[in-house]
Amino acid sequence: MTVKFSKDHEWVDIADHQAATVGITLHAQDALGDVVFVDLPAVGTTFTQGDVAGVVESVKAAADVYMPITGEVVEVNEALRADPSLANSDPMGAGWFFKVRVTDLTQFDALMDEPAYADFAKNA
């Protein structure tokens, strides 16, 4: 697993080189509390890094989900749409949000690795 993290608390895994998997971090789901709804992007939609690609709502707040890398959405997690609590119970696994065909791998390289994100999240 090759995972990097954004300053907006999304993670990106490009393990299969066909599409990058995107979700929210453990820190983000902790801050949100119990997730009750997710608004996922439409398959085929192209986003630029930093664009709002979805929304996650919890019992405490709603937060935008930002696109951590430029690309086209090729799949969304329908299981998450049906059971938003997956974002809490398994945010780095079954609680993934969408998959993206990456158009600029240099953006991925510029994201934080796990130790850098852990330091960043301590102060967030």
Side-chain angles (χ1 to χ4, degrees):
M1 214 161 127
T2 305
V3 179
K4 297 265 189 139
F5 301 86
S6 75
K7 290 182 178 180
D8 296 312
H9 306 286
E10 286 86 24
W11 58 267
V12 182
D13 177 7
I14 59 164
D16 72 10
H17 298 289
Q18 296 292 8
T21 304
V22 177
I24 62 171
T25 65
L26 184 61
H27 174 83
Q29 71 83 31
D30 279 344
L32 285 166
D34 293 335
V35 174
V36 296
F37 174 78
V38 293
D39 181 20
L40 302 173
V43 171
T45 306
T46 300
F47 293 95
T48 300
Q49 184 179 40
D51 287 351
V52 174
V55 175
V56 58
E57 294 181 12
S58 72
V59 294
K60 295 195 296 189
D64 291 331
V65 176
Y66 296 95
M67 183 61 74
I69 49 178
T70 299
E72 177 187 350
V73 176
V74 295
E75 184 179 348
V76 297
N77 187 351
E78 293 298 341
L80 180 66
R81 192 186 315 262
D83 182 7
S85 71
L86 290 171
N88 295 116
S89 62
D90 193 10
M92 300 281 296
W96 61 274
F97 279 58
F98 48 85
K99 294 185 180 185
V100 179
R101 183 176 301 113
V102 179
T103 58
D104 185 353
L105 281 175
T106 62
Q107 291 177 344
F108 178 79
D109 294 336
L111 295 172
M112 292 177 273
D113 61 14
E114 191 167 358
Y117 178 72
D119 287 342
F120 173 79
K122 280 187 224 175
N123 301 313

